[in-house]
Amino acid sequence: MGMNARKRIYLDINPADRARLLASATAYATGRRTYVVGAVSDVIAANAGRLDAAVRETLADAIRPAADAGDSIDAPAWTRALAALETAAPDGSDGLDGSPVDLRILLFCAFRHDMGGDAGLWTRLLEDPTALDGQWRAISARDLYEAGYAPDGAPEPPIQHLEPLGDVDDPAWADVYLALVGGRR
């Protein structure tokens, strides 16, 4: 992630990965009734013009039930994101733009949603040592460790953690874990 002049972070990712991050984060955040809703919806709104029409429609379909639910906590944030998706002027810029805090939260949400599914996006993001900061890496390693994705004999995550709550034999996520903690198979 690189800092630009507006004190915002720019995550240099391709359009398909950008769409996947936003979809995964949205799926995780809907119905949470926490701060993650505001962060995810703010990043969606800020980047709506960078998304093609099909991605905007897919996100709008995922957000609309939460915006229409009338929940006093979540609905205003989702309504803003929905309005941005529906009215966005095309913006051919690359990457994903947002505040450092909002992008970190978006990445956490997308990662937690994807854990146990397809690890391909996270493998690609971890190939760029500047894409994900050390704090994000440490917390995500902890999440994988506690979910049982750390392979036998792998180093423990660098932050406080619980004992593994399971033993999941998934080589793709084991590789993501090892990349997060700097270990090798």
Side-chain angles (χ1 to χ4, degrees):
M1 287 189 257
M3 186 70 74
N4 70 22
R6 295 180 297 155
K7 303 244 185 222
R8 294 177 66 82
I9 297 290
Y10 171 78
L11 183 59
D12 186 18
I13 58 174
N14 68 50
D17 287 346
R18 176 176 52 209
R20 166 91 184 277
L21 275 175
L22 292 172
S24 291
T26 299
Y28 182 86
T30 52
R32 291 276 168 189
R33 300 188 86 211
T34 70
Y35 64 93
V36 301
V37 173
V40 170
S41 65
D42 286 350
V43 173
I44 290 170
N47 292 278
R50 294 178 179 189
L51 307 172
D52 68 34
V55 172
R56 284 195 312 271
E57 186 58 34
T58 299
L59 286 172
D61 289 346
I63 291 169
R64 198 169 284 111
D68 292 345
D71 183 302
S72 62
I73 294 173
D74 289 355
W78 290 127
T79 300
R80 284 191 309 274
L82 188 58
L85 289 167
E86 292 171 345
T87 63
D91 175 356
S93 301
D94 291 330
L96 196 60
D97 185 37
S99 76
V101 171
D102 286 351
L103 277 178
R104 184 176 287 130
I105 292 168
L106 177 101
L107 289 167
F108 282 129
C109 291
F111 187 80
R112 288 184 179 133
H113 176 268
D114 290 352
M115 274 178 42
D118 179 15
L121 169 64
W122 304 100
T123 301
R124 286 190 302 282
L125 288 175
L126 287 165
E127 289 172 355
D128 177 358
T130 64
L132 303 168
D133 70 20
Q135 183 181 11
W136 184 90
R137 288 171 181 262
I139 292 170
S140 296
R142 179 203 60 206
D143 289 350
L144 285 174
Y145 182 84
E146 290 177 354
Y149 287 100
D152 288 337
E156 292 185 8
I159 61 174
Q160 183 178 2
H161 59 274
L162 301 172
E163 289 304 311
L165 303 176
D167 185 17
V168 181
D169 186 21
D170 185 335
W173 284 103
D175 289 345
V176 169
Y177 177 81
L178 290 171
L180 289 168
V181 297
R184 301 268 183 255
R185 268 200 196 256

